[in-house]
């Protein structure tokens, strides 16, 4: 029996986050991975590419980054490969001004489900239109992503029956976490229940979850997330160390069914080291980091070091991470990130402050502070110096207590931020003006 012909082959990408990294090398590595992904799509001779959100890390990224990304995207069109794309939570703009719209208007790709084209039949739900890939006849539609899962309301309002009744081979693009498919350790509070997806599509091209997922679900077809390339945060880099691999799905559509193969893209190795610094001095912690550096082969790798614990003395900033980073880079590390966020200074010795109530305790603390406070002699402005002088002695204690009370006020129900700030200033400025006039 002769096998039925392939209707289409396409690449499914998502969460590229171009422009995410401030570090020059990480930014370059992310762009290189994107370029290699485009080259792989061309090499595989796909009919089209779908990007399920977060092509860029922001809705108006650096134009230099955009220019370089455009050169790679244009290679697809130069080879007759169409590109279909939807917003992600990072490149969506509530004002409607996004780089995605600008590039779509220039004809670089087709944006699926633009808001202005949505329809609502009388008494029915929302009907996002289908885009037809003319050479293959594949029909694409879907729902774009928004910040904080605000697109979830659109799923509730979909005319699913209308979408399901559409004939032909259909692909649904989306940028949301499907609750039932969320991996352990990557839970999204704004997850969308599977039941809100329209049934009967051959393939559901997802984005937003940064873990590779591909599951065939009864009644739905294949629901997939390719995951990011380099991602946009340190935990994306840490995940590279698991060896799971990054890349895209190569999807084949045949007789209304989808099969997929994961195509890996080369990325540097990631080395993760955690240094325990409990009851060590900053000098000792620096020495520990240098020991780690001496035993690692970091050439061509991304190196992630984290230091945690409570120091025996000193402060976290006294750990010489700058020199350790320099040494690792001299050893050939492509990128070195050293985190001291888990490092703490020793806790001050506890003491009990006498006082019958909160105001007495506050006055005691302020009295200690104002007793050692002296204005900077470089302040020569009369009114400013008057304010500073008034914050000394017993009068300074009273003023400090009043200022604290004024600053602790909270916004009232329905009060706008600007009105709240104006009201707080109205309570604080008279106190300072009065002191400055003394």
């Amino acid at each position: 029996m002769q096998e039925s012909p392939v209707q289409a082959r396409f690449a499914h990408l998502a969460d590229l986050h171009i422009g995410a990294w401030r570090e020059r090398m990480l930014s370059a590595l992310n762009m290189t991975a994107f370029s290699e992904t485009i080259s792989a799509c061309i090499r595989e001779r796909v009919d089209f590419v779908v990007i399920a959100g977060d092509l860029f890390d922001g809705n108006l990224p650096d134009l230099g980054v955009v220019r370089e990304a455009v050169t790679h995207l244009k290679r697809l069109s130069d080879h007759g490969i169409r590109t279909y794309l939807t917003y992600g939570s990072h490149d969506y703009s509530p004002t409607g001004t996004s780089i995605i719209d600008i590039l779509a208007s220039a004809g670089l790709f087709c944006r699926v489900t633009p808001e202005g084209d949505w329809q609502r039949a009388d008494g029915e739900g929302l009907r996002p239109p289908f885009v037809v890939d003319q050479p293959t006849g594949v029909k694409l539609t879907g729902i774009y992503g928004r910040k904080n899962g605000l697109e979830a309301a659109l799923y509730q309002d979909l005319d699913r029956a209308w979408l399901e009744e559409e004939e032909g081979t259909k692909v649904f693009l989306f940028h949301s976490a499907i609750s039932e498919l969320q991996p352990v350790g990557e839970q999204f509070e704004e997850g969308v229940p599977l039941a809100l997806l329209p049934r009967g599509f051959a393939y559901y091209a997802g984005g937003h979850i940064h873990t590779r997922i591909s599951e065939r679900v009864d009644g739905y077809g294949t629901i997939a997330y390719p995951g990011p390339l380099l991602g946009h945060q340190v935990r994306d880099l840490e995940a590279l160390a698991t060896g799971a691999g990054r890349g895209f799905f190569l999807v084949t559509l045949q007789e209304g069914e989808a099969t997929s193969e994961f195509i890996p893209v080369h990325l540097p190795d990631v080395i993760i080291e955690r240094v325990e610094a409990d009851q060590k001095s900053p000098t000792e912690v620096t020495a520990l980091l240098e020991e780690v550096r001496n035993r690692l082969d970091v050439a061509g790798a991304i190196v992630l070091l984290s230091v945690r614990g409570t120091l025996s003395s000193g402060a976290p900033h006294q750990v010489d991470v700058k020199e350790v980073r320099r040494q690792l880079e001299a050893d050939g590390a492509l990128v070195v990130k050293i985190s001291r966020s888990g490092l703490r200074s020793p806790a001050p010795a506890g003491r009990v402050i006498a006082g019958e109530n909160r105001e007495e305790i506050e006055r005691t603390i302020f009295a200690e502070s104002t007793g050692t406070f002296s204005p900077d002699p470089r302040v020569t402005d009369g009114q400013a110096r008057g304010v500073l002088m008034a914050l000394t002695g017993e009068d300074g204690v009273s003023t400090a207590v009043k200022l604290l009370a004024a600053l602790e006020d909270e916004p009232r129900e329905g009060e706008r931020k600007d009105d709240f700030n104006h009201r707080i200033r109205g309570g604080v400025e008279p106190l300072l003006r009065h002191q400055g006039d003394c």
Side-chain angles (χ1 to χ4, degrees), residues 191-224:
V192 175
L194 176 64
L196 295 183
L197 286 179
R199 291 173 174 266
F201 282 65
Y203 190 83
Y204 299 77
H208 194 46
I209 291 181
H210 282 204
T211 300
R212 190 202 316 167
I213 297 170
S214 180
E215 291 194 19
R216 185 162 183 79
V217 181
D218 287 345
Y220 290 92
T222 299
I223 303 176

Side-chain angles (χ1 to χ4, degrees), residues 62-78:
D62 178 81
L63 291 182
V65 170
V66 173
R67 180 179 61 186
E68 191 171 357
V70 165
T71 62
H72 298 307
L73 288 168
K74 190 174 182 299
R75 289 163 53 204
L76 292 174
S77 59
D78 289 344

Side-chain angles (χ1 to χ4, degrees), residues 292-303:
V292 170
R293 171 249 170 178
N294 289 332
R295 65 177 171 77
L296 292 178
D297 179 8
V298 299
I302 296 171
V303 181

